Amino acid sequence: MEWDNQTFNPDFILMGFFSYTPTHIFLFSLVLGIFTMALLANTLMVLLIYLDSRLHTPMYFLLSQLSLMDLMLICTTVPKMAHSFLSGRKSISVAGCEAQIFFYVSLFGAECFLLAVMAYDRYVAICYPLQYFNLMNWKLCGLMAASSWILGAFDGIVDVAATMSFSYCGSREIAQFFCDVPALLHLSCTDTSTFETLIFICCVVMLLLPLSLIIVSYTRVIITVIRMGSGEGRHKAFTTCTSHLIVVGMYYGAATFIYMRPTSNRSPTQDKMVSAFYTILTPMLNPLIYSLRNKDVAKAFSKVLGKR
């Protein structure tokens, strides 16, 4: 990375969310509470799926991967934000910024692809129930989950390499609570238009293509469910799919708002609020949505409590 007139202190400054007013202190405490809940809920979800043999199916394996990604995502941003607020030190090193960008972008991309895999899993389970374990065998399931991680990591490497190759010769203050690529590009004195076009193309690949697969899968699922003769089967299918669609709507809606808008239409305040929604709030809501609407998870939880 090139630094003009900033050789003495090349660190970035994360402006963050909060000041030290009573209202902001309360909001900070609320964020810490959400972080704690997300940490516990996602950890519990992963452990339940691992410990209960009834949950050893492709659907729950993919759900455990989603919980693991949410767990890593919220740990990428909130601890640093909390440390900056409590210590009053808002600086973040270049290496720390690179690490945040890599993990954040990698997990963001991996979740995009994983949600599409989860939609395909429900499509096969509902439309081809008798062939489910042949079409969605463990080898294929593991391969698709691993591919989600690998594709996400590849996108993270590309973003880190490109972002950190620019010159930063003006302000070092990032109008975010973590090192977000769009916010960082505003600080560059290099022409970033080519890279912004590349980001847009990546968003089309990572957002619109998986979303198209999700829409096609659930269109077929809805048609099949409507034709079901069993009311109980229809209710179970709708319950499972509704949980997934709620998560998809929250995640893709927020991500599209952040990364597919023109740079000229961006507002730092709006970006902070939406980023907080899908990096802090969504990781807490995902396990709650799946567990509260899923009898198998509730039974597994009751079973663990019963043993204790």
Side-chain angles (χ1 to χ4, degrees):
M1 181 190 301
E2 297 178 20
W3 298 91
D4 299 335
N5 302 323
Q6 293 186 21
T7 55
F8 179 71
N9 183 12
D11 291 354
F12 290 110
I13 304 296
L14 296 173
M15 299 307 294
F17 256 130
F18 308 112
S19 59
Y20 294 95
T21 63
T23 301
H24 280 208
I25 292 173
F26 169 75
L27 291 175
F28 173 74
S29 302
L30 185 63
V31 167
L32 285 188
I34 293 172
F35 171 74
T36 303
M37 287 184 63
L39 204 65
L40 294 174
N42 284 290
T43 302
L44 181 62
M45 183 70 77
V46 173
L47 290 176
L48 283 178
I49 293 171
Y50 175 76
L51 294 172
D52 196 309
S53 58
R54 292 175 299 179
L55 302 182
H56 292 176
T57 64
M59 182 183 82
Y60 290 109
F61 170 73
L62 296 173
L63 182 55
S64 72
Q65 296 300 295
L66 180 66
S67 292
L68 184 58
M69 289 176 185
D70 281 337
L71 192 60
M72 293 175 66
L73 180 62
I74 198 168
C75 288
T76 299
T77 56
V78 176
K80 175 58 182 174
M81 179 184 70
H83 176 267
S84 297
F85 181 80
L86 294 173
S87 67
R89 296 174 57 187
K90 297 184 177 182
S91 63
I92 182 170
S93 66
V94 175
C97 198
E98 290 175 346
Q100 272 200 336
I101 291 173
F102 172 74
F103 284 108
Y104 169 76
V105 173
S106 297
L107 293 165
F108 166 80
E111 286 203 27
C112 284
F113 293 115
L114 186 70
L115 288 173
V117 173
M118 293 173 72
Y120 173 75
D121 171 74
R122 291 300 83 204
Y123 161 70
V124 174
I126 294 172
C127 298
Y128 301 97
L130 299 180
Q131 305 174 52
Y132 176 67
F133 286 103
N134 290 325
L135 296 174
M136 196 66 184
N137 57 67
W138 280 109
K139 183 177 180 180
L140 178 61
C141 182
L143 180 62
M144 290 194 293
S147 297
S148 298
W149 286 94
I150 292 169
L151 290 170
F154 175 76
D155 188 49
I157 291 171
V158 171
D159 276 21
V160 168
T163 305
M164 292 303 164
S165 68
F166 296 134
S167 297
Y168 296 91
C169 51
S171 171
R172 295 175 293 113
E173 296 180 349
I174 302 175
Q176 263 288 14
F177 59 94
F178 65 101
C179 281
D180 190 24
V181 174
L184 197 58
L185 293 181
H186 282 294
L187 307 183
S188 176
C189 53
T190 307
D191 180 15
T192 62
S193 57
T194 302
F195 182 61
E196 289 177 20
T197 303
L198 177 62
I199 289 180
F200 182 82
I201 294 171
C202 287
C203 287
V204 170
V205 174
M206 296 177 62
L207 286 175
L208 298 188
L209 289 183
L211 184 59
S212 299
L213 178 59
I214 291 170
I215 292 172
V216 171
S217 297
Y218 276 107
T219 300
R220 296 291 301 275
V221 165
I222 290 171
I223 293 172
T224 302
V225 168
I226 291 174
R227 293 175 179 173
M228 283 183 176
S230 169
E232 183 180 351
R234 186 185 297 114
H235 174 73
K236 185 176 181 180
F238 264 128
T239 299
T240 304
C241 295
T242 301
S243 299
H244 189 208
L245 287 173
I246 291 172
V247 172
V248 168
M250 292 191 305
Y251 188 78
Y252 277 89
T256 301
F257 180 84
I258 286 288
Y259 291 104
M260 299 200 71
R261 285 182 302 152
T263 307
S264 57
N265 293 341
R266 292 187 178 278
S267 162
T269 303
Q270 287 181 344
D271 284 355
K272 284 183 185 180
M273 295 299 293
V274 178
S275 295
F277 175 78
Y278 74 88
T279 60
I280 300 175
L281 191 60
T282 300
M284 181 201 72
L285 293 176
N286 285 353
L288 297 179
I289 290 169
Y290 280 109
S291 61
L292 291 176
R293 299 179 63 87
N294 192 300
K295 293 181 180 179
D296 293 333
V297 174
K299 287 178 182 177
F301 184 62
S302 300
K303 181 181 177 181
V304 171
L305 290 180
K307 284 184 177 180
R308 292 190 175 185

